[in-house]
Amino acid sequence: MNDACGCSGEVEASAEDEAVAWWRVREIQAAALAAVILGAGWLVSLTTAPHWVGLVLEAGALVVAATTFVPGTVRRLARGKIGVGTLMTIAAVGAVILGQVEEAAMLAILYSISEGLEEYSLARTRRGLRALMDLVPTEATVVRGGEHVALDPADLVVGDVLLVRPGERVATDGVIRTGTTALDVSALTGESVPVEAGPGATVLAGSINGAGVVEVEVTTRAEDNSLARIVHIVEAEQARKGPGQRLADVIAAKLVPGILIAATLIAVIGSLAGDPAVWIQRALVVLVAASPCALAISVPVTVVAAVGAASKNGVLVKGGAALEGLGKIRALALDKTGTLTANNPAVVDAVAAPGRSRDELLALAAGLEARSEHPLARAILAATGARPEVGDVVAHPGAGLTGTHRGREVRLGRPGWIDPGHMVGEVTAIQGRGATAVMVEDDGALLGVIGVRDELRPEAGAVVHTLTRAGYTVAMLTGDNERTATALAAEAGITEVHADLRPEDKASIVRQIAETRPVAMVGDGVNDAPALATADVGIAMGAMGTDVAIETADVALMGNDLFHLPQVLAHARRTRTIMWQNVAFSLALIGVLIPLALFGALGLAAVVLVHEVAEVFVIANGVRAGRYQPISAREHAPAPSLATAAP
């Protein structure tokens, strides 16, 4: 927390580890004890006991409550840092000098309670993020020497084989070697539909095994698995403060010295013009009234709550800067492959040239694509079992492949690189249906054209409708040809299409959009890295377990459900609104309390009470950002209107 608020990092760590309930927070325990002692002093004052007995009890209450903030204040003063604790300490000492020991004790008690509640609220929201680590089981069953051995997940090594029974959680990342099952990954990706998995499928730490027994080969140690990586990144990125948090920090840091100077001037000038006791007391009250503690915590509490809520719903947001940036977005640039589409292309048409056969066309294409990792290659290989030997295969980026088959040169590639000739009509028809046309040529003679289509995600149209209804402008960016891109975009409800783009072209388009309005780029985090880096906010789609995507983007949608996008945008807008509500309320409170304190309308105890109650309100309002509201495919609820967004 900001030093302006008087909280030390040591206290934060302690609260995070130990404060499982608010009544176990040290500051609240001390305040409760001090309140009991002060109450005893008040009861003694009603009896015939000597006055000094009650005074001793009041002083004891002050000492007990002051131990929660005075030592930390002294340590920070030694480092040259002035915070709200400094103001409270000066006010308490001044009240004692003026003989108002009971007022000083009440100030210390209320301040201790507010500090304790701050620590508890921050620790509670941080524990929401750390709770992800609890998804890892405390024990894992390993197959060794034909026997089943129970181990602590921390003792697992790469190459171990886990036996995962139905209903058990996977201890760390791995690959299924035997067995088939359905995996519940809802806690990781926010998606409720189980994922079918069999031999060769990647399994993530924390996944719940369904009905089948599977053996999983460990590929990542527990401390480096996907869950641990997410928690580490978010905790590290929380240091990246957004504009709202920096504004609150700057105001709070500069306000405290100004308050001390103003209080000193009030005391000196007032004493020269009137009763010194009255004006010194008013100066102390002004000192407390202008305390910016609520301002200093207004944004951090909100950010921690919002980031923690998003992480538990399958969205990784890298700190306050990314969250605030996401809340300002007004335009979205969506990559086609893997974002709007399922990244699972299939052959939908294959038209052979006259005198050639469809089987011959697919077979030669498969021979050329046999060693390619391109998504289109997987589709062509899946369409035929034939694999003729093709040698000397050379890839031509953005164009296609060349090779040698039976001493003849063969080529596969896009129309334009290979002349469609008399098959231009077939090529146009395939592209008009939203498929990518792939030409195949054998020794200079056209063999035919293959149509490969990557189907839109089922929810793509509903998501685009939700986004446009919420006021966002949506554009599609793709390296595919104009005709294919336009057909798919129309199916999804997108009117702005940019096709035939290379990675650097996508970055250029994003830069042009950013000149008129804040833009987010949504892509796969690898081929779209330049555009992700260029956008105001980069969003990686389906990034769970993908190192490059998580590291490159500001926001990572861990699952493959595109509805995560409007959900997190609505969440960020709502969070940003809450941030500015807290900042405005905190500043308005200071503006109202200072003149009331200056003219004696409020005493020390009243100002402290109002201030600390207001601080609790700010915390409670900030914690509201921890409510994540999913948008399902059945209820296309729009995000909050742009008209209601914060400045």
Side-chain angles (χ1 to χ4, degrees), residues 332-341 457 475-480 494 506 520-525 527-528 531 539 541 562:
L332 292 160
L334 307 179
D335 175 50
K336 178 179 74 71
T337 305
T339 300
L340 285 168
T341 65
R457 295 179 185 274
M476 186 176 85
L477 276 58
T478 179
D480 216 333
I494 300 174
K506 292 182 181 180
M521 172 68 193
V522 188
D524 62 10
N527 295 330
D528 301 309
I539 303 175
M541 179 73 189
L562 195 55

Side-chain angles (χ1 to χ4, degrees), residues 198-260:
T202 299
V203 182
L204 303 174
S207 302
I208 301 176
N209 187 22
V213 177
V214 293
E215 290 187 353
V216 178
E217 181 179 336
V218 173
T219 57
T220 310
R221 290 178 58 86
E223 63 266 27
D224 300 320
N225 66 35
S226 49
L227 280 177
R229 190 165 62 249
I230 290 171
V231 172
H232 171 72
I233 289 174
V234 172
E235 289 183 335
E237 293 290 341
Q238 281 180 343
R240 292 175 58 195
K241 297 180 179 180
Q245 188 165 349
R246 287 195 298 269
L247 174 64
D249 289 348
V250 169
I251 293 174
K254 293 184 177 180
L255 191 57
V256 172
I259 294 167
L260 288 172

Side-chain angles (χ1 to χ4, degrees), residues 447-598:
L447 191 58
V449 57
I450 300 172
V452 181
R453 179 177 164 109
D454 187 7
E455 297 295 339
L456 285 175
R457 295 179 185 274
E459 72 276 15
V463 168
V464 171
H465 174 68
T466 299
L467 292 170
T468 53
R469 189 169 60 176
Y472 296 99
T473 57
V474 181
M476 186 176 85
L477 276 58
T478 179
D480 216 333
N481 66 83
E482 185 78 34
R483 189 175 288 110
T484 299
T486 301
L488 279 172
E491 191 175 333
I494 300 174
T495 56
E496 184 178 343
V497 181
H498 302 273
D500 290 312
L501 302 177
R502 294 169 298 177
E504 57 270 28
D505 298 328
K506 292 182 181 180
S508 178
I509 295 294
V510 168
R511 192 176 296 111
Q512 291 174 20
I513 298 173
E515 290 176 357
T516 58
R517 53 201 182 278
V519 61
M521 172 68 193
V522 188
D524 62 10
V526 182
N527 295 330
D528 301 309
L532 288 170
T534 302
D536 295 287
V537 177
I539 303 175
M541 179 73 189
M544 189 66 191
T546 307
D547 292 337
V548 175
I550 292 177
E551 295 292 343
T552 304
D554 301 297
V555 178
L557 309 181
M558 311 311 289
N560 286 304
D561 186 349
L562 195 55
F563 264 102
H564 282 310
L565 182 58
Q567 286 169 8
V568 73
L569 287 166
H571 182 63
R573 272 195 201 170
R574 180 171 177 269
T575 297
R576 189 164 178 265
T577 299
I578 292 173
M579 287 180 192
W580 287 105
Q581 286 173 350
N582 278 348
V583 170
F585 174 78
S586 301
L587 290 173
L589 179 70
I590 293 173
V592 170
L593 286 183
I594 288 178
L596 292 176
L598 180 61

Side-chain angles (χ1 to χ4, degrees), residues 377-445:
R378 296 199 303 270
I380 292 172
L381 293 172
T384 178
R387 300 287 189 278
E389 186 64 32
V390 178
D392 303 324
V393 177
V394 177
H396 302 269
L401 302 169
T402 58
T404 304
H405 175 60
R406 295 178 179 177
R408 303 190 305 272
E409 183 186 46
V410 290
R411 293 199 300 164
L412 176 150
R414 62 179 178 81
W417 189 62
I418 295 178
D419 185 3
H422 62 277
M423 299 194 72
V424 64
E426 287 84 351
V427 170
T428 301
I430 287 173
Q431 293 176 339
R433 293 195 294 272
T436 299
V438 179
M439 310 296 300
V440 181
E441 190 180 69
D442 183 3
D443 199 24

Side-chain angles (χ1 to χ4, degrees), residues 244-307:
Q245 188 165 349
R246 287 195 298 269
L247 174 64
D249 289 348
V250 169
I251 293 174
K254 293 184 177 180
L255 191 57
V256 172
I259 294 167
L260 288 172
I261 294 172
T264 301
L265 291 175
I266 290 170
V268 172
I269 296 173
S271 296
L272 293 175
D275 185 353
V278 171
W279 286 101
I280 291 175
Q281 182 177 3
R282 289 188 182 181
L284 293 174
V285 178
V286 168
L287 204 66
V288 177
S291 163
C293 198
L295 175 65
I297 67 166
S298 59
V299 176
V301 168
T302 308
V303 168
V304 173
V307 170

Side-chain angles (χ1 to χ4, degrees), residues 84-271:
V84 175
T86 308
L87 305 183
M88 295 300 177
T89 301
I90 294 172
V93 171
V96 171
I97 292 173
L98 294 174
Q100 299 178 355
V101 179
E102 184 179 7
E103 298 265 19
M106 187 168 294
L107 180 151
I109 290 170
L110 290 171
Y111 185 60
S112 296
I113 291 173
S114 70
E115 291 290 276
L117 290 176
E118 290 170 29
E119 293 300 334
Y120 173 70
S121 65
L122 282 174
R124 184 168 175 265
T125 51
R126 284 198 180 97
R127 282 199 307 274
L129 175 62
R130 297 295 302 181
L132 283 173
M133 296 305 296
D134 294 336
L135 296 177
V136 176
T138 57
E139 188 176 86
T141 302
V142 180
V143 181
R144 287 184 177 174
E147 297 184 358
H148 298 164
V149 182
L151 291 180
D152 187 312
D155 296 329
L156 295 173
V157 297
V158 175
D160 275 340
V161 176
L162 301 175
L163 180 70
V164 187
R165 300 179 179 87
E168 293 183 344
R169 289 189 183 274
V170 180
T172 190
D173 299 345
V175 175
I176 294 179
R177 289 299 173 225
T178 63
T180 58
T181 187
L183 298 172
D184 179 357
V185 294
S186 57
L188 308 173
T189 66
E191 297 174 7
S192 57
V193 179
V195 178
E196 298 293 330
T202 299
V203 182
L204 303 174
S207 302
I208 301 176
N209 187 22
V213 177
V214 293
E215 290 187 353
V216 178
E217 181 179 336
V218 173
T219 57
T220 310
R221 290 178 58 86
E223 63 266 27
D224 300 320
N225 66 35
S226 49
L227 280 177
R229 190 165 62 249
I230 290 171
V231 172
H232 171 72
I233 289 174
V234 172
E235 289 183 335
E237 293 290 341
Q238 281 180 343
R240 292 175 58 195
K241 297 180 179 180
Q245 188 165 349
R246 287 195 298 269
L247 174 64
D249 289 348
V250 169
I251 293 174
K254 293 184 177 180
L255 191 57
V256 172
I259 294 167
L260 288 172
I261 294 172
T264 301
L265 291 175
I266 290 170
V268 172
I269 296 173
S271 296

